[in-house]
Amino acid sequence: MSQNAIIIHPEFAPGRRILAVSDIHGNLPFFQHLLEKVSFSPDDILVLVGDMLEKGPDSLGLLRYIVQLCKTHTVYPLCGNCDGLVLNFFETDSLDESFFSRYLPQHPESCIFQMAHEAGYDGDPTDLPRLRQTLRAAFPQVREWLAKLPTILETEQLVFVHGGVPSLEHMEQLNRWRCMKNDDFRGQGHSFEKYVIVGHWPVTLYHEHIPSAAPIFDWDRKIISIDGGCVLKIDGQLNALILPSEDAQNFTWQAWDGLPVYTALAAQEPSCDSVNIRWGRSDLELLEAGEEFSRCRHLETGRELDILNSYLRHTGERLWCEDSTDYHLPVTPGDSLSLVARTSRGYLMKKNGVTGWYFGRLADKLGKTK
């Protein structure tokens, strides 16, 4: 893989709607449903802001779908760190012991294994040189397509990049990988003269109190973060940022999370104090085990709350959990809520991308109460 960032400068015709989607992670059905929901057409411009591949169930199918979509629509795929990972496997033998020998056993769903299965590879999955040789022979077009993916798309008013950039000056000199693998980009204090649209870091990681997968708009700093945690989070979603045209300021968004939708029948006031336990900050102390929930102390904040047992995880002696919260959603009768989990105490729901608890009654599409 080229060390320096690859930058393209397409001209977006005035009046054409621009859609940005990031971090699909091999979830072809979510991508198809989202495009249908936003009525994507050949009149639109679609920018795929990296991490199309890996971690999801059908990276190879998604890749082929995108390749075909590029032939009939205006689509600009950009390289994310997960896409670059697959390219790196094609390109170099030097990472066998240092990375792929650890990564692949942990990710049986990897696009690398998907290609190996289709190619009829029946050798030792730990024989990485032979596996690489097989994929190079069977998938030269995939290798070529990945190698040509740009790192950054820049127009007169917009910049799209998977992870982020420190500055808009001399971007062609930036390290390509660091533009793709750029954790906690919003926390680095950057501001820009153009809107910089990024993915990579699921937006819920930025929220201390309330879990939200909705895009984050830093209007003053002109940073828009759109990774909704698709595939990575139980309540994750695939976001589409929508710009009516390149020079428009009225950004909107739509999302697809695949969850069943219900209608709220009772009002509920929001919590005035809550915690968002998220990846990297999820260590717990077990206080009291229960059949459905367990009382735990969140080690980072010291907060005590009940965690669904199905969300608890053990790594050796370490206890941690999938993203959890004690937040109560603000609900008005008639609101549409997406069901994340049904429990004996109430419902874990989503409203406008925000996850929280609801303790009222629900009605399904047929009007039946729950």
Side-chain angles (χ1 to χ4, degrees), residues 108-119:
E109 81 293 338
S110 172
C111 187
I112 293 168
F113 285 141
Q114 291 176 24
M115 288 187 288
H117 177 74
E118 186 169 308

Side-chain angles (χ1 to χ4, degrees), residues 2 17 233 281 287 318-319:
S2 169
R17 190 174 65 148
K233 309 290 181 181
R281 301 169 177 267
L287 301 178
R318 176 190 171 215
L319 176 67

Side-chain angles (χ1 to χ4, degrees), residues 170-208:
H170 307 295
M171 289 192 293
E172 70 282 353
Q173 298 177 12
L174 293 175
N175 179 274
R176 187 181 188 190
W177 185 256
R178 291 178 182 174
C179 294
M180 297 186 290
K181 183 75 167 65
N182 192 334
D183 296 351
D184 190 19
F185 180 58
R186 290 182 62 248
Q188 297 170 18
H190 303 304
S191 297
F192 302 96
E193 296 181 357
K194 300 180 180 182
Y195 285 105
V196 177
I197 294 96
V198 300
H200 180 62
W201 198 245
V203 292
T204 191
L205 299 181
Y206 290 117
H207 296 285
E208 183 178 354

